[in-house]
Amino acid sequence: MSTVQNETDIGPEESDTDTEGAQYLKTGNDGSTRGSRDVEAPPTIVEILEDVRQEEQGERDTAANGKFSGVYGNILNEEEKEISKVINGDVLASPGKEGPSSADGSLSNPDDTPSIQNSVLSSSRKYPHLSGRGHSPSPSLRPFDRRFQARLSQSPLNSPRPISPAFLTAHSRHASALSQLVQDSGDVDTPDAPWEVVRWTKLRKMSGQAFSEIGKRKFGRSTCIAVSASIALGTSKGMILIFDYHQTLQTIIGPGTQAVESGSVTSITFSADHSAIAGGHANGAIFTWEITRPAKPLLQIPPNDQSRVNASDHDGHVSGAAVLHIGFLGTRHTAIVSADDKGMAFSHFASRGMGAFSRSIRTTRLLGRYPEPGLAVTRSKKPSSVLAFAPLPLGNAMLTTDEMGLVAMLTPYLLVIVSTIPIAQTQHKASRPKELAAHSTMSAALAWFPAMKISADDTAIHAPSSLTKLAYCWSNILTVLDVHEAEVPEGSAKDKSPELRFIPRKRWKADEAIVAIQWLSRSVLSVITVSQQLIILEDSVLQVTDSSDMIKKHIYHVDLFSQQLSQLVEKLDEEDTSMHGVVADAFYMSFKAYKGRLFLLGFSDVSMGTMSNWADRLLALMEEGNFIGAIELATSYYNGEGDKATVGLPEDDASRHSVVQEKLTEMMSASLKYAFGRNQKAGTSKLGDRQLEELATACFNACLSIEDMDFLFDDVYTWYSDDKVEGLFLHILEGYITNGSIRILPPSVLKDLVGHFIEGGRDSELEETLCLLNPETMDIDQITSLCKKHRLYDALFYVWNQALGDYTTILKDLLYLKEDETNDSRSDRDLFRTESANPTSKVFPYLSYILTGRIYPTGEAMEEAMATMAKAEIYDFLFSSGRRDTVINQNLPNKITLSLPHLRHILKEDASSFLSMLNEAFEDSFLNGSNEVLQSQQRIAELSEEQRFGLSVNRQFIISILLEVILPPDFDEEDVIYLDMFVARNIAKFSQFVLLPGSTLQRVMVELCTYSSEETAEDCQLSVEYLLSVFQPPDLPSMIPILSDAHFYRIIKLIYSSEKKYALLLTTCFEDRENSQALFDCITDCLKPNSELSPKQIEDIHSVIIENASNLVEAGLTHAASIIDAFAPELHTFLLETLSDDDHAQFQYLREVLEPSEPKTPTGTTPRASLNQNFVEQYVRLQCDYDPHHVNDYIGSLQPGDLRLESVLPALESSGIIDAAVVVMAREGKIREAIDRLTQYLRTLGAALIGLLDGAHETPDAANAQETSNDLMKSLQKYIRIGVWLCQSQTKSVANTKGKAMATSRRALKPDTLSLDEELWLDLVSSVVQVTRDVGDILETGLDTEMATISYPINTSKVLSSLRTMVQETFTALLTATTVPPSNDVRQKDLSFLRIFRAFLDRVSLSSPSISNLRAVLSAIFSAYSYEESLLDLANRLLDKDLFVHVAEVSLMRRRGWRPLGQSCEGCGRRVWGPGVGGGIWDAWVEASQDGSADGSNIKATRPSAGPNGNGKGKAAASIEDDMAEPEKTVGPELEERKGGNLGPLIVFACRHVFHRRCLESMKPRGDEPDVDGMENLEFSCPICI
């Protein structure tokens, strides 16, 4: 017997799942320590955190949500306080206050708002670095096409700087275990967080009373649980146990009443005001009780007896149907809804009265059907049950839905939502989701969340209340349904029912079936899966935020549905994918939620669970020693990146920031003390560099998030600096500066940062960093000295520009820095050789940025007013005519005074770069001359003289000054050319702002044509093109020679084209050797059919082409051939004459003309105009030398008459291209000569093969001998096939042209005389056999010599086999050509083959009296023919057999009859077969079978057209021997109708219509009835199909 423990209250200290090794520090409000921690042990991070808190804040109230209490051990937020009140019994709801609510638990939670999924660590970001060392552009080609670029404005992806360890995402095991969560945030089961997802508390006192042996004997086992202001347990003995939150058993309901006689309690529920409870029992009875009056039920609804189930005046649960679901409607104690395991649901409304028996109860059926009495069921019904059921609970926002009594029900097939007030009415139906897997686990669950008022701080929802929501699921598919109330139109009836819209908002798919759902709050769902996994979901996104394994909780579950739904599983239809493979147990009665708490009914205990909030999770990390992970997690909470609703954080930023910021600062201070071991009580040593870097990164992210940079630099940096590890901090700081997150540094930190860079020799990175900081807090003198000392000129410009607004002082210093440092002991000339150390190289990018309104060197845009003043200052510095400074001229012994000294000096340094910079500046609108500052007299008075001058500078003034300054001999010719290019380009682009005299422009144009360097030639020509677009020289023809000498062909072409001088234009194109494509384009444009050239101009074009024919083919041989052939084919001769010394070039030219790579016509064929006979013959002759393998193909593509035999035959024969020669001779009609030439060549090939075989044993190269043998065999095969083709062509030609005349002439010939085609066959066959015989003789002779050895290099058997195959193919072709299908001329054709064969034997006998060596060849031929005949005969027999089998099978199936189209007679409509036909059908069938007539052999259906015994379709003839005979095509015996009467046998037509015999007879027209003697040959036709 188990004893009841002494615990009295439910508290967190009773958790039975605390980790044994966690060693939590439990401290009460009085500071006393609970636990076994040694007093002298070094303090933990939690203790240090508490010390920091007390030092900085003192003793404060801890009532705020998530604040730490005690020494950071016992944490309770507002939600904890609320549930503490509930636990202590202080908030038992009263009906008189604001209306009761069955869902008011959500109001106590600060987390009833949606949140963002996937909290990530701030330190996981990677910051890009700036680019590495760059340098300013130097003078090069196309100076006006480039743009000056500073290093800091380039792509940040090219930085050579290594990534700081501070930006790595992973932490060490000791520093941070939370980094694992970032990588596996999408996986529910992967992260092992140091906190518990749900902190479970076993209610030991309650469990001891309910689950002890005494309790079980007295009350029975617990079967269900309900939670409200009290905790209720239903038992198997029909009782209900009511406990308060002190775990005290307050009330026992049921003893001494009929409830204990109604079976176990299967469902219980509390009323909205917590004062009443209802219970459903296993026998179908329902009882409601007032908790304070347990002796007598408030209502008693007994089940209906089986005899009353069909009574129309009384509804209710059937006796024996367990009430599995029950709930109250609204605030009434007398309105309830219920559902049972038979799939039926009811609403019960009791009238007012004085007691349970004096009230009248009106029960209405909402769902399901009563079971039908008896066992005879004509139609099977799908089994059903109510898997999930819940009425809509009341929220604290009163809506119309609260007055409708909504009830949601889930069956295996449908979701049904019904309103019960004022009458039962279906509001919504939804079928199972299509995403459900076939034959998956059957389970269902649902849970309502009512409309709740929205607090003023909740900015996520812009409405006074939230929507009513329903979460439901089938198997593993969960759906959230929002309920919207339609707006009621004005003037509508007040009593009209409101219209509701049910909108599925989100759907989520779990990995396994879901068995229970509960709302923890408005934004958080908890679900239990079939494997007892607890999953927490955020409603806004339906993503998993946490999960926990509940298998050890031993949740109570029962199989309630498998028996009722057994047909869906045991009689599973594999083709019906909508059904399930197994029915899951019910868990819904054991899993409840109230006020954000979870309650579990187990097999042996009851547990309460609380979600760990954000403070719990931070505490768990701190106690584990993972302070870095705690800071990062708190930062993510501050930024709103975590699951705010799940962890109990407000949704709005202001409230969340105020809660988290204070704790975040405390944790950083405690972590720094712990890390560096500076606490007086600490016995720990400082961490390693890696952990310190990670701590600094976490502090950086946290301080940036809370915008507390003072804490970062005053506290965090101080810890690092005092411990001499400030380098780690500064290294991480560099990345945040580069990223742009930090722009302002305290002077002390900046000083240390500069020293850190200089100590590491990283001057370039230091310069980049300084340019990214705000210089307002810098020490200008210190930074200026530093930059000059280390030559950080970019940073020097940046600091002076941004801090002082001075744009010329540093510019002037850098311009004359060389001269000022000439007395330095170091070798400055060598020092400034590198561009990065040369201050002048920085001047031009700097001027480019400032004069285009950009900050140097970052490239950011300046403010408009600042940019205007900066440009004015620079232009005054360069172009002010009042500046006459004394400067040193290196070429003169004394100092002299010059005007515009700075301009002259910078031009001397690098005129091309300066002009390129000005080319950029000219694009800025500042130089348009319409400055707004100069248009205001008041503002002009505020400006200095220098500023007014700078604002008045425009493009006209600058160009005028430059034309006066850049003159020889002060500047060399190259500088003058650069100025000319600058003027020419910009006068074309800004012609409305710049006006120069024609003489000046003429001089500029001439100077551009007299360039001195080939590198600038293209730039000069482009500049002249710009100039000619706005300037027309007075004597343009006189400029042509100058332009020609300058090789400005593009400009000359433009001039000739505009003047339509096409011949001169083409001549210029020939002179321009570098642009061959322009030459061909010019010829095409001039000679194309739609050109506007006159005949005289075309003739001039031809003359130019003839004069420059060699240049044309040199520009592009194939292109020239294609162009000339397309537009001037008469010029081919001239171009070929040009190529007379180059045969290969002629070949390429003619190939492009005669066989173009791209077709010239749409059909892809070469035009006949191009097929000049001389060109074709020349091309064939050249092909024999350069492409002999293609000759035969080309000749085959020609038409008769395109080629002369005597012209190409010598070349073909000399090149050994016999196949082409044979084709040419055959085309000319010289068949006899062609076959003679072919047979001669065959003998030559045979002799070569014999010679190879005879001398193969002497060759040292065996592989080469075999390859040569293969080539000879391929040649023999090729030419034999050519001979066969010739003979076949001649035979067909003779047969087509002469016909019967030829046959007559053959009869007149002597039997031994052969015709021409027969002689051709004879010569070919003789030659082939001769070669085979000669080679065979050599092979037989050498079998006993070297050829028989294994080392012989040639495969002789393969040679002999190939030759015999050739002979066989030749004879086969001969036989095919001389044999045709049967006709009147068959005899003569057969004699043709015999004559050829006899003549062949005669010829062989003359050359060799013995033909024994031909025996093998001839026997192989005839054996092949015999084998082919056998194969054909066998195939025919197989086909005949298969055909017979299939025909016989089809015939047999046809005789079996047809399946009737319906089950009723088409005449009388009575059922003739199938279900419902009557019980006598079987007896009649048995009787007919015994008579031997069941097979329908006594009546045969025939078709008139098929004869008396045919098997036609459509009509049937029946011969009847007796009245009981049955037709062959019937479905059964004759049928006796229920009311009597024999209608005769059934007749089924081929159209599948079925009739009674007598029905057909009655439907025949009168006068057609046959007499009795004619009944045997009676014919019927389907009356429907006639």
Side-chain angles (χ1 to χ4, degrees), residues 61 89 315 410 646 715 799 823 857 1029 1052 1079 1230 1435 1550:
D61 186 18
D315 277 326
L410 272 176
T646 305
D715 293 70
V799 172
N823 297 326
S1029 65
I1052 299 175
L1079 171 62
K1230 300 180 179 181

Side-chain angles (χ1 to χ4, degrees), residues 217 309 336 338 362 395 512 787 822 986 1041 1224 1290 1293:
R217 286 198 299 268
V309 295
I336 58 177
S338 59
R362 177 170 55 88
E512 55 188 357
C787 293
T822 51
N986 285 283
V1224 172
Q1290 181 63 21
S1293 176

Side-chain angles (χ1 to χ4, degrees), residues 228-494:
S228 181
S230 304
I231 302 175
L233 297 178
T235 69
S236 59
K237 291 189 176 183
M239 304 180 192
I240 299 176
L241 309 180
I242 306 295
F243 295 86
D244 63 9
Y245 280 97
H246 294 286
Q247 306 184 53
T248 301
L249 180 59
Q250 290 184 325
T251 305
I252 302 175
I253 296 176
T257 67
Q258 292 184 8
V260 297
E261 302 173 2
S262 300
S264 63
V265 178
T266 52
S267 59
I268 52 176
T269 184
F270 281 102
S271 63
D273 61 359
H274 321 300
S275 63
I277 190 170
H281 290 257
N283 72 338
I286 298 174
F287 296 88
T288 63
W289 313 80
E290 290 182 347
I291 297 177
T292 58
R293 299 176 181 177
K296 184 178 182 180
L298 178 64
L299 286 179
Q300 179 178 351
I301 307 174
N304 285 337
D305 187 70
Q306 290 286 347
S307 62
R308 299 183 59 188
V309 295
N310 291 324
S312 60
D313 59 341
H314 191 77
D315 277 326
H317 295 287
V318 179
S319 178
V323 180
L324 302 183
H325 311 279
I326 194 168
F328 284 96
L329 290 176
T331 60
R332 295 175 58 183
H333 293 177
T334 58
I336 58 177
V337 288
S338 59
D340 58 35
D341 59 353
K342 304 302 181 183
M344 301 192 69
F346 300 90
S347 63
H348 313 274
F349 294 91
S351 63
R352 298 182 180 274
M354 300 302 294
F357 297 99
S358 61
R359 299 177 186 269
S360 63
I361 301 175
R362 177 170 55 88
T363 300
T364 303
R365 180 158 50 98
L366 304 178
L367 182 71
R369 296 181 179 179
Y370 290 109
E372 296 183 5
L375 300 177
V377 180
T378 59
R379 185 171 60 91
S380 62
K381 294 182 180 180
K382 288 185 177 181
S384 183
S385 184
V386 182
L387 302 179
F389 178 95
L392 174 63
L394 294 179
N396 61 6
M398 298 303 295
L399 297 179
T400 309
T401 53
D402 297 334
E403 302 174 356
M404 298 176 64
L406 292 181
V407 181
M409 298 170 280
L410 272 176
T411 71
Y413 319 103
L414 287 175
L415 163 70
V416 182
I417 300 177
V418 179
S419 61
T420 57
I421 302 174
I423 60 174
Q425 184 178 358
T426 301
Q427 298 290 338
H428 178 71
K429 283 186 178 181
S431 59
R432 295 152 38 96
K434 296 180 180 179
E435 297 91 336
L436 281 179
H439 314 303
S440 59
T441 302
M442 176 183 289
S443 65
L446 59 80
W448 287 98
F449 193 89
M452 306 297 292
K453 293 180 180 179
I454 303 299
S455 62
D457 297 333
D458 193 347
T459 59
I461 301 178
H462 304 284
S465 63
S466 63
L467 294 174
T468 299
K469 297 182 291 186
L470 173 67
Y472 67 93
C473 70
W474 271 294
S475 189
N476 64 329
I477 305 297
L478 185 145
T479 306
V480 177
L481 198 70
D482 286 341
V483 183
H484 297 260
E485 293 187 15
E487 296 182 0
V488 179
E490 297 182 0
S492 59
K494 294 183 179 180

Side-chain angles (χ1 to χ4, degrees), residues 463-531:
S465 63
S466 63
L467 294 174
T468 299
K469 297 182 291 186
L470 173 67
Y472 67 93
C473 70
W474 271 294
S475 189
N476 64 329
I477 305 297
L478 185 145
T479 306
V480 177
L481 198 70
D482 286 341
V483 183
H484 297 260
E485 293 187 15
E487 296 182 0
V488 179
E490 297 182 0
S492 59
K494 294 183 179 180
D495 57 349
K496 183 180 180 180
S497 300
E499 294 184 4
L500 303 180
R501 291 184 295 114
F502 298 85
I503 302 177
R505 172 169 48 84
K506 208 76 174 178
R507 181 164 287 176
W508 175 71
K509 185 176 183 180
D511 294 334
E512 55 188 357
I514 299 171
V515 294
I517 303 176
Q518 289 292 315
W519 288 92
L520 278 173
S521 67
R522 175 162 52 86
S523 304
V524 182
L525 267 170
S526 59
V527 301
I528 297 288
T529 65
V530 71
S531 64

Side-chain angles (χ1 to χ4, degrees), residues 1418-1462:
L1418 297 177
S1419 62
I1421 295 172
F1422 297 133
S1423 297
Y1425 297 152
S1426 176
Y1427 177 70
E1428 291 176 1
E1429 181 182 1
S1430 301
L1431 284 180
L1432 291 174
D1433 181 63
L1434 177 62
N1436 288 332
R1437 283 189 281 121
L1438 290 175
L1439 289 175
D1440 291 342
K1441 181 179 180 180
D1442 291 343
L1443 182 62
F1444 174 78
V1445 171
H1446 290 304
V1447 170
E1449 184 178 354
V1450 170
S1451 178
L1452 179 61
M1453 294 178 66
R1454 287 285 301 275
R1455 292 177 180 274
R1456 291 176 59 185
W1458 301 280
R1459 178 184 177 89
L1461 189 63

